[in-house]
Amino acid sequence: METDVLIIGAGPAGLAAAFEAGSRGLDVVMIDESSRLGGQLSQQTQMVSMLPSQYPPMKGFELAKLLINQLHDFPVKILLNHPFIGLYQDGSIGVSDGKNVFPISAKKVIVTTGAAERAIPFLKWTMPGVMTIGAAQTLVNRDFVVPGKKAVIFGSSDFALDVAIQLKQVGVEIEGIIEESTKLTAQNMDKINLIKQASIPIYLNSFIKEVGGNGQVEEVYVQQDQEVKTFHADLVCVDGGRKPITEVFYQLDCSFSYQEKLGGWIPQYNERLQSSQEGVYLGGNAAGISFHGSILLTGIIAGISVCEDLGVLEADEANSLRDSLFKEIKIIESKQDDHLWLERMTHIENFLHPKLKNQFIS
Amino acid sequence: MHIKNHPILGERLHDPVTIYFNGKPLQAYKQQTIAAALIANGVKKFGESRKLMQARGLFCSRGRCCSCYMTVNGEDHVKTCMKMVEDEMVVIPNIGDPDVRGDSHGN
């Protein structure tokens, strides 16, 4: 298969990039290992925060629909259930359809592989009944399945509070939100108030020591001060934060550098969202963990840069578009967390000094 | 338990199918993954880890952690959080090492 642009990952950043490239007449192929478009957006029933100014406030699954619908009139070929497998010697990308592997040869590649949730280790954390907070949300909003009867939530980000409310709405009793620090990590007062209104107990200065049960979680042991409290619960939702998914970048031999706020080791890129490999661009959470707004904006920038490099967009116009998009990223990121925007700038400045190359898979 | 009437998304469960877990018939719906369908039917333990023989099940539901792999229709090491159910699907826990290079796959 041959195409102008191959996009790996069909979440918000990939969809936004596909629109930029497709609407300017480029042939686009988009692959994703899952069976539906939209990435994690499609099970987000909460309002998504910090969207770019052209979007009205909406829920995650509504945003997914909007991004998918705007591709309808353009030459975008979508291959679901098609994971990236590796690279052929001639540089084409190996893709699997579940049975066979075939090459896709593209002039440019945009990698928008998103983020994975981090685990928090405690004794027996692999026991059935322990899952990521995102997994619990997926069960409720994608699969329409109640993940448990009584839940303990470990971590207190805005996202964890969203899911706690969603779990409660489908009849899961929330036994407690366990937070290691002295206050909730969530910043959104509306969400914190919702939790208080719902009478969900909050345990600060606490952590899960161990879970117990015969083949699945039945009890959760929580250390608070000198005391260990026992909770009777069959579900533990772990809110460990997110890190960029980077395997594709290792295989494409991209350079990396470390930015704590952006999720740890992430592929390096310049202000065009171009990686150290000439034909490889990136966007979304793979380019550093952030809010929905930056996920979309970085995807759009990657799409614009590809259009410029393939000659369907003038350099002047591309530059001015990128400038205004970056200004919006700055507004979104510095409003919420000053360090996030500063680290993104540092990361872009570091582009000329690769920190890590050929360390993993090459 | 299945969510028949979702507080935000409404009634979405259509097309019931039957899958078999360890020979036992379970009801599921076409738009569910195998892992989700098992949890809806009260099955949380999907197998045992091959080294320490500890129970394992769904953890990330994103195809990243591989904790939920099972044998599906005779194919070993299927990530059940990424595969949708089909009618009459036969699902059994993957206990030992998967038979990736065995004769059954013609390798």
Side-chain angles (χ1 to χ4, degrees):
Chain A
M1 191 181 290
E2 284 188 14
T3 183
D4 294 326
V5 187
L6 171 65
I7 298 176
I8 303 175
L15 291 166
F19 176 72
E20 293 302 319
S23 64
R24 290 191 179 84
L26 295 174
D27 275 330
V28 180
V29 173
M30 190 153 59
I31 63 166
D32 197 288
E33 63 184 359
S34 76
S35 52
R36 58 156 95 172
L37 291 169
Q40 305 313 324
L41 270 186
S42 28
Q43 65 256 5
Q44 292 173 2
T45 54
Q46 69 271 28
M47 298 296 282
V48 288
S49 57
M50 305 271 168
L51 285 179
S53 53
Q54 75 261 38
Y55 296 91
M58 64 184 114
K59 297 190 163 101
F61 68 93
E62 294 166 339
L63 176 60
K65 248 187 236 162
L66 189 155
L67 293 169
I68 293 163
N69 287 341
Q70 70 178 6
L71 293 182
H72 278 336
D73 299 331
F74 303 112
V76 179
K77 187 180 170 71
I78 291 162
L79 301 173
L80 295 172
N81 297 308
H82 279 67
F84 164 94
I85 295 290
L87 265 187
Y88 285 89
Q89 235 166 7
D90 67 357
S92 54
I93 304 282
V95 173
S96 167
D97 62 6
K99 287 203 166 66
N100 302 301
V101 177
F102 61 93
I104 298 179
S105 151
K107 291 175 189 153
K108 303 288 175 193
V109 179
I110 303 177
V111 185
T112 50
T113 41
E117 288 178 272
R118 292 177 194 269
I120 309 177
F122 45 80
L123 286 169
K124 304 185 192 147
W125 70 277
T126 56
M127 189 181 267
V130 180
M131 63 181 73
T132 64
I133 189 86
Q137 186 186 43
T138 306
L139 287 175
V140 171
N141 295 340
R142 185 192 69 187
D143 295 296
F144 301 90
V145 167
V146 185
K149 290 188 178 70
K150 292 182 173 190
V152 170
I153 291 169
F154 192 13
S156 65
S157 66
D158 285 317
F159 178 53
L161 301 193
D162 278 330
V163 179
I165 295 291
Q166 289 165 22
L167 284 168
K168 201 169 162 86
Q169 283 172 343
V170 296
V172 180
E173 279 179 55
I174 312 291
E175 298 294 297
I177 293 175
I178 313 295
E179 170 56 48
E180 287 195 84
S181 78
T182 52
K183 60 181 178 85
L184 296 178
T185 57
Q187 296 180 342
N188 187 318
M189 278 317 291
D190 295 344
K191 288 174 189 173
I192 295 171
N193 287 334
L194 272 180
I195 293 292
K196 289 182 176 157
Q197 278 162 25
S199 309
I200 295 174
I202 295 167
Y203 300 88
L204 301 173
N205 284 317
S206 307
F207 62 92
I208 294 182
K209 214 174 154 234
E210 188 173 355
V211 291
N214 183 14
Q216 60 187 54
V217 175
E218 290 161 16
E219 290 184 337
V220 184
Y221 310 111
V222 174
Q223 181 90 44
Q224 191 180 32
D225 301 322
Q226 301 303 315
E227 192 193 347
V228 177
K229 272 190 166 68
T230 300
F231 290 78
H232 297 278
D234 59 349
L235 175 64
V236 176
C237 302
V238 175
D239 166 38
R242 291 166 296 159
K243 59 172 193 278
I245 294 173
T246 50
E247 289 90 333
V248 175
F249 299 101
Y250 296 145
Q251 296 224 18
L252 296 174
D253 206 17
C254 296
S255 67
F256 283 74
S257 84
Y258 189 87
Q259 293 297 341
E260 182 77 33
K261 285 273 177 192
L262 297 177
W265 284 104
I266 57 172
Q268 293 198 284
Y269 51 87
N270 59 18
E271 69 292 339
R272 310 176 73 249
L273 269 294
Q274 188 175 20
S275 77
S276 63
Q277 289 291 2
E278 208 192 316
V280 179
Y281 305 73
L282 66 160
N285 274 334
I289 304 301
S290 184
F291 308 101
H292 288 96
S294 312
I295 290 172
L296 291 175
L297 291 161
T298 50
I300 293 171
I301 293 171
I304 284 170
S305 299
V306 163
C307 289
E308 183 192 0
D309 291 347
L310 289 178
V312 294
L313 187 63
E314 294 291 332
D316 287 351
E317 198 188 343
N319 279 329
S320 84
L321 285 170
R322 271 193 299 262
D323 274 354
S324 64
L325 293 164
F326 257 107
K327 274 188 194 125
E328 241 188 304
I329 297 180
K330 181 180 179 179
I331 292 168
I332 288 169
E333 294 193 336
S334 43
K335 198 190 285 177
Q336 195 75 2
D337 182 347
D338 258 339
H339 297 287
L340 180 58
W341 166 250
L342 292 175
E343 283 207 18
R344 195 179 287 281
M345 285 297 98
T346 310
H347 188 65
I348 289 172
E349 281 158 25
N350 282 345
F351 181 69
L352 295 172
H353 316 284
K355 291 279 164 61
L356 183 67
K357 214 169 174 189
N358 295 326
Q359 289 285 302
F360 299 96
I361 310 156
S362 61
Chain B
M1 202 168 54
H2 292 289
I3 300 170
K4 299 277 187 205
N5 197 357
H6 190 285
I8 291 161
L9 302 168
E11 288 180 33
R12 288 277 180 99
L13 286 173
H14 308 294
D15 304 318
V17 295
T18 303
I19 62 169
Y20 294 88
F21 172 67
N22 276 337
K24 196 178 147 201
L26 303 177
Q27 197 188 55
Y29 294 86
K30 251 189 186 156
Q31 70 268 43
Q32 293 175 328
T33 63
I34 300 166
L38 291 173
I39 289 175
N41 283 279
V43 177
K44 287 190 178 173
K45 181 182 165 182
F46 293 178
E48 281 169 356
S49 66
R50 65 191 191 204
K51 193 171 171 191
L52 300 172
M53 304 310 280
Q54 288 177 342
R56 55 173 179 76
L58 179 85
F59 180 72
C60 78
S61 196
R62 301 276 195 276
R64 307 291 310 164
C65 73
C66 302
S67 171
C68 67
Y69 71 89
M70 296 174 93
T71 300
V72 178
N73 288 345
E75 192 182 349
D76 291 337
H77 222 88
V78 172
K79 289 190 261 187
T80 54
C81 75
M82 296 293 282
K83 187 140 182 113
M84 310 308 268
V85 293
E86 288 160 21
D87 203 19
E88 306 281 303
M89 213 170 215
V90 174
V91 182
I92 52 172
N94 231 178
I95 302 292
D97 279 337
D99 185 25
V100 176
R101 293 179 188 281
D103 292 339
S104 60
H105 293 85
N107 293 317

